[in-house]
């Protein structure tokens, strides 16, 4: 039995309880978690914005130590450090064959499996494949990436979602070039990773936008040259800070229609907007045909930073070891499993960066 955070039903409060976790079968790995990040996607699972089978053990951003492996697993062994990959690619579907592994048709196929059971025998699913909100988890082998050398596992947990997403949004989706101007909407864990990544890409002006004035210090420490509290004049304010033209690139990390529209309006003619935030179906963004023609802007979605974790994790790890990327700067609170509900409340209130569960 291990302690875990269970979502009994959509809209229900999380339950921190003991679950019965099986030993790994063929092609599976058992991991003892060192840390797990509390991501907005976890909150989206609780309120039904994202749908997965329930009841489920939540948590998809984590790292830990391999406890045991099932038959056929050779790329990790007991005692190895591991980073969890919540969206593994199958390598065989249409998108994988195109090299777009972040769009793999089978990425979340494991979410419907029976992962563990409650004390009374109720079957539990792994929310986003890896069920990281638990002291230990059992995952498919393709959900396990060897942890990079020289990075503490508690920090490496952030690599599994926030950092890959933020880094990829800048380098793969928006493709920020040296000297360009960037505006980032939403300064949570992913937004802070975007700011650091924009700095690494050599952006000349990096404007951070958030509803909370208290996040300015966090944003500037992550690489923001300017900070704006979101308002009705945000797009005009961004143009003022970028030579009157607007930013070359906007990265939206909120997932709200009004923020997406403002991000788009904040870019120059021919600018690029990348949407990272996950919004609900009710968030309808409207454009007219003439403005689409006139402004010549690009608006694109971004899944998991358009990353291939096996390719990108070593690159990001080198930035971390070289001191160019500070993983600890994303974390504003370290908690236990029992602190997850309060961390969700903090997230809804728009406060802080990443809350990190440390086991």
């Amino acid at each position: 039995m291990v302690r875990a955070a269970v979502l009994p039903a959509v809209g229900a409060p999380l339950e921190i309880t003991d679950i019965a976790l099986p030993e790994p079968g063929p092609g599976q790995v058992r991991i003892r978690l060192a840390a797990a990040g509390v991501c907005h996607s976890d909150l989206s699972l609780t309120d039904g914005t994202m749908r997965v089978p329930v009841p489920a053990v939540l948590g998809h951003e984590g790292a830990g130590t391999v406890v045991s492996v099932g038959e056929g697993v050779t790329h990790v062994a007991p005692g190895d450090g591991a980073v969890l990959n919540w969206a593994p690619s199958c390598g065989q579907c249409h998108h994988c064959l195109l090299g777009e592994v972040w769009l793999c048709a089978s990425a979340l196929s494991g979410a419907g499996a029976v992962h563990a059971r409650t004390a009374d025998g109720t079957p539990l699913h792994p929310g986003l494949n890896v069920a990281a909100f638990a002291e230990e988890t059992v995952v498919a082998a393709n959900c396990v990436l060897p942890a990079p050398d020289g990075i503490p596992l508690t920090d490496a947990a952030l690599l599994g979602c926030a950092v890959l997403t933020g880094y990829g949004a800048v380098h793969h989706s928006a493709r920020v070039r040296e000297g360009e101007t960037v505006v980032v909407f939403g300064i949570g864990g992913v937004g802070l990773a975007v700011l650091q990544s924009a700095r690494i890409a050599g952006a000349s002006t990096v404007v951070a936008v958030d509803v909370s004035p208290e996040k300015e210090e966090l944003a500037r420490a992550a690489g923001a040259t300017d900070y704006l509290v979101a308002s009705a004049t945000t797009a005009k304010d961004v143009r003022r800070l970028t030579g009157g033209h607007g930013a070359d690139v906007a990265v939206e990390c909120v997932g709200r229609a009004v923020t997406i529209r403002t991000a788009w309006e904040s870019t120059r003619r021919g600018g690029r907007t990348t949407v990272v935030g996950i919004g609900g179906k009710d968030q309808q963004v409207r454009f007219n045909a003439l403005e689409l023609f006139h402004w010549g802007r690009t608006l694109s979605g971004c899944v998991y930073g358009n990353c291939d974790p096996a390719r990108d994790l070593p690159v990001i790890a080198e930035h971390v070891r070289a001191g160019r990327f500070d993983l600890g700067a994303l974390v504003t609170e370290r908690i236990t499993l029992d602190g997850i509900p309060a961390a969700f409340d903090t997230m809804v209130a728009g406060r802080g960066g990443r809350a990190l569960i440390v086991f």
Side-chain angles (χ1 to χ4, degrees), residues 16-200:
I16 312 302
T17 186
D18 289 336
I19 64 170
L21 192 67
E23 289 303 312
Q28 292 185 321
V29 180
R30 183 168 181 141
I31 305 286
R32 179 180 302 114
L33 274 297
V38 181
C39 177
H40 201 280
S41 296
D42 299 306
L43 185 61
S44 295
L45 295 179
T46 68
D47 64 17
T49 299
M50 296 173 64
R51 291 281 184 175
V52 294
V54 290
V57 179
L58 298 189
H60 64 280
E61 179 184 87
T65 303
V66 176
V67 176
S68 55
V69 301
E71 181 183 351
V73 178
T74 58
H75 72 296
V76 290
D80 289 350
V83 175
L84 296 175
N85 174 15
W86 64 270
S89 56
C90 70
Q92 299 175 349
C93 71
H94 178 71
H95 290 291
C96 285
L97 292 176
L98 289 174
E100 300 171 345
V101 298
W102 53 93
L103 298 178
C104 176
S106 302
L108 292 180
S109 59
V114 174
H115 170 72
R117 295 184 183 274
T118 62
D120 65 5
T122 302
L124 299 170
H125 304 286
L128 286 177
N129 282 328
V130 297
F133 286 174
E135 295 169 332
E136 295 187 13
T137 187
V138 173
V139 300
N142 62 355
C143 290
V144 179
L145 298 166
D149 293 336
I151 300 177
L153 289 175
T154 48
D155 290 340
L158 301 164
L159 296 172
C161 184
V163 176
L164 276 170
T165 300
Y167 178 88
V170 168
H171 291 271
H172 300 321
S173 181
R175 298 182 181 180
V176 175
R177 299 181 288 263
E178 186 172 359
E180 288 193 313
T181 56
V182 178
V183 56
V184 182
F185 289 80
I187 312 304
V190 173
L192 289 169
V194 171
L195 290 173
Q196 292 204 47
S197 300
R199 182 188 62 202
I200 290 171

Side-chain angles (χ1 to χ4, degrees), residues 322-335:
R324 293 185 291 268
F325 201 111
D326 183 1
L327 293 173
L330 274 62
V331 179
T332 53
E333 186 179 18
R334 294 176 186 268
I335 62 175

